[in-house]
Amino acid sequence: MTFTYYFWYTLSKIAARLFFSFRIVHPGRMIEEGPVILASNHQSYFDPPLVGICSDRDVYYLARKTLLDVPLLGKLLPHINVIPVDRDGNDMSALKTIIRLVRSGNGVVLFPEGTRSPDGSLQRGKQGIGLIIAKTGAPVQPMRIFGSRDAFPKGSGKITQVPISVVVGNPIRFTPQELDPASHGGDERALYQSLSDRVMNAIAALELPESLPSAQAGERLPTS
């Protein structure tokens, strides 16, 4: 990690613990070496750093290109592994950057739904994550955030202090046959959507335990 990334990574952890009693469930499932796609549901602007602080290493993020025009923030984002993306069209440069980073052994945070859920329910995943999986063959770490919408919902300028947890799922690993368009009659788009659906199903299957072991706020909980 660079100093700037480490500083904001640590600050995000402290803030999450102090204000949202942040907890990570099943941290031992995290892939901490080699290529991985961290795939999570998306409910709030808080989600990218919440997913990122679940990993012990630095990871990369996508963010709207227009954020680079925001004073101060625009200067900071490139230093904390943020890749700008043009959401008004097919940004092939951002896509190629993500594929290159994953192939180089890095972790990348992606939200299959593409944008924040308006009501907190899971939306169908877009084909984009399926394309990246097919082009890299990287394992996917399904993750599900609970509480971030209550803390900072879409369309609201109000932040509420509520508990937030992230449940980490078992990694999904793909065989060459599963990534071959031939498995979908040569239809690449159908393959990408199928891979995306598989990831979203894994996210949907993650549940927050009814009772978590007693722990200090922010502690990584190795529940089974």
Side-chain angles (χ1 to χ4, degrees):
M1 291 185 188
T2 64
F3 173 79
T4 303
Y5 188 100
Y6 179 76
F7 174 82
W8 289 102
Y9 172 89
T10 303
L11 185 63
S12 296
K13 272 191 170 183
I14 292 172
R17 292 172 179 175
L18 287 179
F19 297 109
F20 304 107
S21 301
F22 183 64
R23 292 182 171 186
I24 307 169
V25 182
H26 305 307
R29 295 174 175 175
M30 290 293 297
I31 297 175
E32 297 291 4
E33 294 183 354
V36 64
I37 297 168
L38 308 180
S40 172
N41 61 317
H42 198 10
Q43 301 181 337
S44 166
Y45 280 133
F46 288 159
D47 296 341
L50 290 173
V51 172
I53 61 178
C54 291
S55 179
D56 290 334
R57 59 172 168 170
D58 58 331
V59 294
Y60 290 81
Y61 310 84
L62 288 173
R64 295 197 317 269
K65 192 173 184 178
T66 54
L67 291 178
L68 295 178
D69 299 327
V70 178
L72 299 180
L73 181 63
K75 298 288 186 181
L76 171 65
L77 294 181
H79 297 285
I80 54 174
N81 294 356
V82 171
I83 302 163
V85 59
D86 184 356
R87 291 179 57 183
D88 294 330
N90 293 323
D91 193 338
M92 294 305 298
S93 62
L95 182 62
K96 290 178 180 178
T97 298
I98 289 292
I99 292 172
R100 175 179 56 80
L101 286 168
V102 174
R103 286 176 173 172
S104 298
N106 295 287
V108 174
V109 176
L110 296 177
F111 298 103
E113 296 162 289
T115 188
R116 291 166 295 155
S117 171
D119 58 5
S121 62
L122 295 178
Q123 311 298 304
R124 191 178 190 190
K126 308 293 186 182
Q127 293 180 15
I129 189 171
L131 185 153
I132 294 170
I133 294 169
K135 298 299 183 183
T136 63
V140 172
Q141 188 88 66
M143 306 170 73
R144 188 167 182 179
I145 304 172
F146 292 88
S148 67
R149 181 177 181 274
D150 295 328
F152 193 22
K154 183 175 183 177
S156 172
K158 181 181 178 182
I159 296 176
T160 304
Q161 288 185 257
V162 297
I164 298 177
S165 300
V166 173
V167 180
V168 181
N170 288 313
I172 307 171
R173 302 183 187 276
F174 303 89
T175 66
Q177 292 74 23
E178 291 172 326
L179 302 180
D180 188 343
S183 64
H184 287 76
D187 188 338
E188 291 187 339
R189 289 183 176 274
L191 169 65
Y192 301 156
Q193 188 61 62
S194 175
L195 293 172
S196 178
D197 290 344
R198 182 173 171 185
V199 171
M200 286 305 302
N201 287 338
I203 293 172
L206 297 174
E207 298 181 353
L208 188 65
E210 292 185 5
S211 61
L212 295 176
S214 177
Q216 294 180 350
E219 184 174 339
R220 298 165 68 92
L221 303 175
T223 60
S224 58

